[in-house]
Amino acid sequence: MREYSPDLTPQWKRPKAVPEVAAEADLVVEVAGTDFCGAVVACEAGTVTLEDRFGKRRVFPMEPRGFLLDGAVVTLVRPPRGPSAPSRTASGSIAVPGARARVARAGRIYVEGRHDAELVERVWGDDLRIEGVVVEYLEGVDDLPAVVAEFGPTPDARLGVLVDHLVPGSKEFRIAALAAATSPDVLVVGHPYVDVWQAVKPSALGIAAWPVVPRGQDWKTGVCRALGWPENTGAAWQHILSRVGSYKDLEPTLLGRVEELIDFVTGDGEA
């Protein structure tokens, strides 16, 4: 006896199979039929939350054939539940659940200003507490050699200093060289940016690039003007900081220098 398939639609008329893709965190997809494109930030029963490059989040139903991945139609599904990967800190280090902050070391990391300190705390705060490293800010580096001398670095109390605009020929470069020469237990490193704001990737803020501010203008105020932001640098900084979720939002030139200072102060780096 001949058996017939319950689906009598001719094979050539049947819709092509659409691949199912697990809605893993950071997967970037486009919502079919819209111009919304974003990365997966959450996946609940029947819905997925996407965040676009401007930080805007929207929730969409995980309907069949509802998304495009690299231009191809896909169906998003909940990721399979299995052994979860180790959670990580904002700096990318493996998190230690329940870890208590270590008693502060005698060594310190100095940064130029409050914004530098807040950015370091946002990304490396968990690591610094576990290592017992305190970050303080200087309000400028003009008196850095005297500050280093007053601190009195020793092998058991190393001092690391992060300097803005550390490029050959700059005032900061000359001051840093003088400070670094005072002791083998001090390490002065820096990034090339006029201000630590520029160490945040433009993509994290949804802009193409940081504006070029003419010489003679206050740099932060000039940035606000060029980007059409209110000329309130404090509010502007809070907006910038809110867009930093992890080390991925920072330029490598800053990442490497901060990691170098942490290693040095904790004794993991060479003197």
Side-chain angles (χ1 to χ4, degrees), residues 120-205:
V120 169
E121 164 61 27
R122 189 170 188 87
V123 176
W124 288 275
D126 290 338
D127 305 42
L128 293 168
R129 279 182 283 280
I130 290 176
E131 294 290 350
V133 177
V134 175
V135 175
E136 301 179 8
Y137 63 91
L138 300 168
E139 294 291 4
V141 294
D142 288 352
D143 298 322
L144 185 59
V147 170
V148 172
E150 182 179 357
F151 182 87
T154 69
D156 296 322
R158 288 176 163 184
L159 178 62
V161 184
L162 180 69
V163 177
D164 297 344
H165 198 228
L166 192 63
V167 295
S170 68
K171 175 191 74 173
E172 292 83 358
F173 191 87
R174 294 189 296 272
I175 293 173
L178 291 173
T182 61
S183 169
D185 297 306
V186 62
L187 175 65
V188 182
V189 300
H191 57 74
Y193 308 114
V194 174
D195 190 274
V196 77
W197 287 20
Q198 286 182 294
V200 178
K201 290 180 178 178
S203 57
L205 299 168

Side-chain angles (χ1 to χ4, degrees), residues 24 43-45 78-84:
E24 301 283 0
C43 183
E44 305 294 339
R78 292 189 73 180
R81 293 191 177 185
S84 57

Side-chain angles (χ1 to χ4, degrees), residues 3-248:
E3 294 185 359
Y4 292 91
S5 166
D7 185 355
L8 300 180
T9 305
Q11 186 71 34
W12 62 272
K13 284 189 176 181
R14 295 179 188 176
K16 293 182 180 180
V18 172
E20 293 186 344
V21 177
E24 301 283 0
D26 296 329
L27 177 73
V28 177
V29 295
E30 181 180 349
V31 182
T34 76
D35 59 359
F36 192 90
C37 181
V40 174
V41 293
C43 183
E44 305 294 339
T47 65
V48 61
T49 303
L50 304 180
E51 180 179 289
D52 69 11
R53 65 190 185 94
F54 301 107
K56 181 179 180 181
R57 294 189 178 190
R58 291 179 59 183
V59 180
F60 297 93
M62 290 196 295
E63 298 175 342
R65 309 170 66 90
F67 302 88
L68 302 178
L69 177 62
D70 295 329
V73 177
V74 298
T75 296
L76 291 187
V77 297
R78 292 189 73 180
R81 293 191 177 185
S84 57
S87 59
R88 294 186 176 272
T89 67
S91 73
S93 302
I94 295 177
V96 183
R100 300 179 62 183
R102 175 174 173 163
V103 175
R105 297 173 183 266
R108 291 287 188 275
I109 291 177
Y110 285 170
V111 297
E112 281 205 45
R114 181 170 60 84
H115 293 179
D116 306 70
E118 289 176 346
L119 186 60
V120 169
E121 164 61 27
R122 189 170 188 87
V123 176
W124 288 275
D126 290 338
D127 305 42
L128 293 168
R129 279 182 283 280
I130 290 176
E131 294 290 350
V133 177
V134 175
V135 175
E136 301 179 8
Y137 63 91
L138 300 168
E139 294 291 4
V141 294
D142 288 352
D143 298 322
L144 185 59
V147 170
V148 172
E150 182 179 357
F151 182 87
T154 69
D156 296 322
R158 288 176 163 184
L159 178 62
V161 184
L162 180 69
V163 177
D164 297 344
H165 198 228
L166 192 63
V167 295
S170 68
K171 175 191 74 173
E172 292 83 358
F173 191 87
R174 294 189 296 272
I175 293 173
L178 291 173
T182 61
S183 169
D185 297 306
V186 62
L187 175 65
V188 182
V189 300
H191 57 74
Y193 308 114
V194 174
D195 190 274
V196 77
W197 287 20
Q198 286 182 294
V200 178
K201 290 180 178 178
S203 57
L205 299 168
I207 60 177
W210 284 100
V212 176
V213 177
R215 293 178 65 89
Q217 283 191 30
D218 177 74
W219 188 83
K220 293 176 181 176
T221 302
V223 166
C224 292
R225 289 173 183 161
L227 294 178
W229 296 349
E231 293 182 21
N232 181 332
T233 57
W237 169 243
Q238 291 307 313
H239 169 69
I240 294 166
L241 190 62
S242 72
R243 297 301 186 186
V244 178
S246 75
Y247 72 96
K248 296 178 182 179

